[in-house]
Amino acid sequence: MNTVNRIHVLDENTANKIAAGEVVERPSSIVKELVENSIDAKSSNIEIEIAEGGTNFIRITDDGIGMSYEDAQLAILRHATSKIRAAEDLSSISSLGFRGEALPSIAAVSKFSLTTRLHNDQPMATYVEVTGGVTTDIREAGGNVGTTIIVKDLFFNTPARKKFLKTLSTESSHIHDILMKLALSNPNIAFKLINNNRLVLSTPGNNQLHDTLTSLYGQKISPDLLPIAYDNTVDNIKISGYLSKPTLLKSSRQWQTVIVNARVINSRSIAKALDNAYHSLLPKSGYPLAVLNISVLTNTIDVNVHPQKSEIKFSDEQKIFRSVYKAVVDVLSAPHNPSQLAATVELRPNSYHSAPNHYGSKDYKKPSYDSLPFHVTTSWKETPLPLTAARNIIEQEERAFLDAPETPLSLDSNILHQFQEEQFTLCPLGQVDDCFIISKGPDGLYIIDQHAAHERILYDKMSQYKDRIPSQQLLVPLFMDFDNAEINTITEYQETFYKLGFTLELVGPNTMRLSELPSDIPLSETESSIRQILESIQNMHNPSAQELRHSCLQIASCRAAIKAGESLNMRQMQALIEELCNTNLPYTCPHGRPAMIRFSPKDLDKMFKRT
């Protein structure tokens, strides 16, 4: 009986092309794989040159350990690697590559050449040329120590893949992004990227992450960087790197780099931990800069879960989540001096040439908070109440003055010096437009948005009450009418309203009686606060308890805070700034707007053209 065999083994060239579909998705995939090989080769300088988005030309040159003639021949074979010898080695692997798929996959879909020379006394380099997966030349050649790989005409033999590439600028952008992350994970290596004969990226390679960050994102981010250092000895997790103040944001996670055991990865869990830690400090859309270098035991992760090695699997992801969350919260809630809390001002030197007064320049960018409703609110007609904090401070100062002994307190000079340093160092000078407080500090001029600052103070204060926010009893209950949907929402979320300090009872078909309200919210703001909370709840789709609490506290603190248009005396201003500097998360208001902006003397010099 004759049978027709339908199953056959693919030839190596076809298998390599199929494998290339997983490893080589676009030019940036090639750059990532080849640069990671250079890093594994202990290079200290890596130069990347591309043309036409990397689709036509990619050259990677390093000064690493190089390869011998024999190793260079093996390197282009599938599953040939120097990183591991057995599957057990995967549990303790420290190199970035290990599959032995990158070079044959790249060579299968391009015109590929490799020139490599060992660091020892080997006089000649080895040259290997592969076209479409077929080796066309292997010989000795002249060359520098290290390895140079050139990739031309990517996907020339797989046009189906080529048509899925994006525009040249988009592909260049992907290469630029991946190189930035690799540079951040290896500050000890000097990277250079040349795009179409133009140097577009360069890092110093001096092993200082801060210098690498400023070389990539610009010197202007330096004042907004916060170092992070966390050591969880129980779970053997260490986290280092930098975070940005909540006022330095991007519209995507482009500025967030997660590195685990020197490997750049994508992790939704770690990204979520970052989001939760920043929580009330960010606006609805915006992501802070973060470079997290996480060290864990190698046997607690599996790196062999993704063809491009961009993801890893943790043995206990919750431990990583908790560690990242705590590390970030510790940094954000740590006490800082005003210059560390304030957002830095962005100056545009060229905008002053046509208009000496920069506020009149057409290029002058008005702060975004100018358009916020409370800034323009001038209908606040009630007699302004003095801040509770100001009153307490005045009383404390008076008592301290009356009770002060005639002789100096016997404080140790070091303790006294430390105490003085911890004291408030900003001196309020006055108010502008009954909205912004101008203050003088030892290192510049500070402008504080009084509403945003007080909103943050109240939010952090209310957040500390886990059971119920302190409330005040009304002598005369307030009756309010609601429609059926609102009544149903209030009934469903009665416990939420109670914990916020509102005591509401249904006394008629559409009437609610309010007998208690939060102590910080003025009576005139009560009904509008409740209606705004109702609107927020109705607009949220299945909100979590945390989201609901955050939204309600945002509204309550906003309504209770002092408004733009409200005059403050000097003591009230000083008390407000002091409370802001001592609150847990003073960078922004709960909606993500900056609470304080600093103009350094250098900024002022630029504004007055003194430099």
Side-chain angles (χ1 to χ4, degrees):
M1 181 178 176
N2 294 328
T3 58
V4 178
N5 294 328
R6 294 183 299 167
I7 299 177
H8 55 275
V9 178
L10 296 176
D11 63 84
E12 186 175 346
N13 190 25
T14 305
N16 282 340
K17 284 184 181 178
I18 294 173
E22 293 181 340
V23 179
V24 186
E25 183 182 2
R26 57 193 341 141
S28 61
S29 311
I30 293 177
V31 171
K32 175 179 179 294
E33 294 290 343
L34 297 182
V35 170
E36 285 184 346
N37 281 348
S38 296
I39 294 170
D40 286 341
K42 306 185 187 315
S43 305
S44 54
N45 292 277
I46 301 176
E47 182 176 294
I48 303 96
E49 183 174 2
I50 61 172
E52 298 183 17
T55 59
N56 190 40
F57 180 82
I58 298 173
R59 179 177 59 81
I60 314 284
T61 304
D62 68 52
D63 58 354
I65 58 176
M67 289 181 281
S68 65
Y69 184 87
E70 293 74 19
D71 284 347
Q73 294 180 76
L74 291 173
I76 56 174
L77 300 181
R78 192 166 168 78
H79 301 311
T81 179
S82 61
K83 316 295 174 52
I84 60 172
R85 289 187 174 275
E88 294 74 25
D89 295 340
L90 285 173
S91 60
S92 59
I93 191 167
S94 59
S95 60
L96 300 177
F98 54 87
R99 289 171 175 261
E101 288 184 330
L103 292 189
S105 297
I106 296 168
V109 293
S110 66
K111 297 174 181 175
F112 173 95
S113 68
L114 176 152
T115 305
T116 183
R117 180 182 157 199
L118 280 174
H119 255 290
N120 58 20
D121 295 333
Q122 183 177 341
M124 298 294 289
T126 303
Y127 176 79
V128 179
E129 186 176 285
V130 183
T131 301
V134 178
T135 304
T136 55
D137 192 7
I138 300 179
R139 57 183 164 84
E140 288 189 333
N144 294 326
V145 170
T147 302
T148 297
I149 293 178
I150 297 176
V151 179
K152 296 181 180 177
D153 293 338
L154 180 62
F155 299 136
F156 78 97
N157 55 349
T158 52
R161 174 54 64 93
K162 194 169 188 176
K163 70 180 182 182
F164 285 102
L165 294 177
K166 304 297 183 184
T167 63
L168 299 183
S169 61
T170 301
E171 297 300 337
S172 296
S173 177
H174 284 305
I175 292 174
H176 193 271
D177 290 346
I178 190 63
L179 271 179
M180 292 177 83
K181 292 182 182 295
L182 290 170
L184 290 171
S185 65
N186 296 275
N188 58 318
I189 299 175
F191 287 86
K192 282 185 180 177
L193 172 61
I194 301 169
N195 185 4
N196 293 330
N197 297 319
R198 189 169 65 90
L199 180 65
V200 295
L201 182 152
S202 177
T203 62
N206 60 0
N207 206 24
Q208 298 296 320
L209 179 58
H210 184 277
D211 293 347
T212 305
L213 271 166
T214 53
S215 67
L216 295 175
Y217 298 129
Q219 194 64 37
K220 65 181 180 182
I221 69 163
S222 182
D224 292 324
L225 295 178
L226 302 171
I228 180 171
Y230 174 81
D231 189 358
N232 184 342
T233 55
V234 177
D235 296 327
N236 291 307
I237 298 172
K238 292 182 180 179
I239 302 174
S240 60
Y242 282 92
L243 302 170
S244 73
K245 295 175 186 174
T247 48
L248 181 64
L249 301 175
K250 291 288 284 184
S251 58
S252 69
R253 295 191 187 276
Q254 184 183 356
W255 279 15
Q256 293 186 356
T257 302
V258 178
I259 306 152
V260 177
N261 287 6
R263 187 184 303 278
V264 177
I265 65 161
N266 299 318
S267 171
R268 295 180 63 183
S269 173
I270 293 174
K272 185 67 176 173
L274 262 175
D275 292 345
N276 286 4
Y278 274 84
H279 187 42
S280 67
L281 292 168
L282 302 178
K284 288 183 178 177
S285 60
Y287 300 92
L289 181 152
V291 179
L292 300 179
N293 199 335
I294 304 172
S295 297
V296 298
L297 297 177
T298 54
N299 60 3
T300 62
I301 57 173
D302 184 358
V303 298
N304 190 26
V305 296
H306 194 275
Q308 298 176 5
K309 297 163 289 184
S310 60
E311 296 177 5
I312 61 176
K313 187 172 180 61
F314 296 98
S315 59
D316 189 341
E317 201 156 11
Q318 281 300 314
K319 283 183 181 177
I320 300 296
F321 180 92
R322 288 194 297 268
S323 294
V324 171
Y325 177 82
K326 186 173 188 316
V328 177
V329 167
D330 285 350
V331 171
L332 295 176
S333 59
H336 296 290
N337 62 47
S339 64
Q340 292 172 306
L341 302 177
T344 52
V345 63
E346 290 187 17
L347 297 177
R348 298 181 178 180
N350 295 333
S351 64
Y352 307 136
H353 293 300
S354 59
N357 181 353
H358 78 284
Y359 289 101
S361 167
K362 63 181 181 181
D363 293 327
Y364 172 64
K365 183 181 178 182
K366 293 184 71 175
S368 59
Y369 41 76
D370 278 0
S371 59
L372 292 169
F374 288 114
H375 173 73
V376 298
T377 299
T378 54
S379 58
W380 176 263
K381 299 300 183 185
E382 291 187 0
T383 303
L385 296 173
L387 288 169
T388 306
R391 188 169 56 246
N392 292 337
I393 286 176
I394 294 171
E395 290 174 357
Q396 288 171 7
E397 287 179 350
E398 289 175 345
R399 283 199 301 272
F401 178 76
L402 294 174
D403 297 336
E406 294 182 357
T407 54
L409 293 174
S410 57
L411 284 175
D412 180 84
S413 60
N414 292 332
I415 297 175
L416 181 60
H417 179 66
Q418 180 182 359
F419 178 75
Q420 288 171 341
E421 282 189 344
E422 291 173 354
Q423 291 303 297
F424 175 67
T425 56
L426 293 187
C427 175
L429 303 176
Q431 243 180 328
V432 173
D433 199 23
D434 285 346
C435 178
F436 303 106
I437 300 171
I438 310 299
S439 295
K440 180 182 70 174
D443 55 354
L445 181 72
Y446 290 77
I447 300 180
I448 296 100
D449 183 328
Q450 63 187 39
H451 173 72
H454 197 207
E455 197 178 358
R456 165 53 61 186
I457 293 166
L458 291 175
Y459 181 91
D460 286 356
K461 181 180 169 186
M462 293 177 183
S463 299
Q464 294 175 358
Y465 297 107
K466 294 184 179 178
D467 294 330
R468 192 188 186 204
I469 293 172
S471 61
Q472 55 181 316
Q473 185 83 32
L474 293 176
L475 292 176
V476 179
L478 188 65
F479 293 90
M480 292 175 282
D481 292 330
F482 298 96
D483 59 30
N484 288 333
E486 291 171 331
I487 290 288
N488 291 336
T489 304
I490 292 174
T491 305
E492 182 179 354
Y493 291 94
Q494 187 110 24
E495 181 71 13
T496 300
F497 279 98
Y498 178 78
K499 287 185 175 180
L500 286 172
F502 296 102
T503 299
L504 289 159
E505 297 171 282
L506 187 63
V507 293
N510 294 307
T511 304
M512 283 282 189
R513 178 175 61 198
L514 177 71
S515 57
E516 288 181 314
L517 75 160
S519 55
D520 287 313
I521 294 183
L523 183 61
S524 59
E525 295 283 340
T526 304
E527 183 168 351
S528 57
S529 300
I530 293 174
R531 293 192 183 281
Q532 193 173 353
I533 292 172
L534 277 173
E535 183 181 354
S536 175
I537 293 174
Q538 290 170 343
N539 289 337
M540 297 173 77
H541 180 66
N542 294 327
S544 65
Q546 185 188 31
E547 291 172 337
L548 188 60
R549 179 178 169 81
H550 170 60
S551 177
C552 293
L553 289 182
Q554 270 186 329
I555 295 168
S557 59
C558 182
R559 289 290 176 178
I562 55 175
K563 309 295 190 296
E566 184 173 347
S567 297
L568 302 178
N569 60 38
M570 298 301 277
R571 282 199 179 278
Q572 289 173 320
M573 287 186 244
Q574 186 163 347
L576 181 68
I577 299 171
E578 185 175 5
E579 280 199 64
L580 175 67
C581 292
N582 289 312
T583 194
N584 290 336
L585 301 167
Y587 303 93
T588 63
C589 78
H591 299 93
R593 294 187 291 113
M596 183 190 301
I597 294 177
R598 180 175 73 96
F599 291 80
S600 68
K602 191 175 178 181
D603 296 330
L604 296 173
D605 284 343
K606 287 182 180 176
M607 292 165 66
F608 286 96
K609 299 182 181 179
R610 296 182 67 86
T611 58

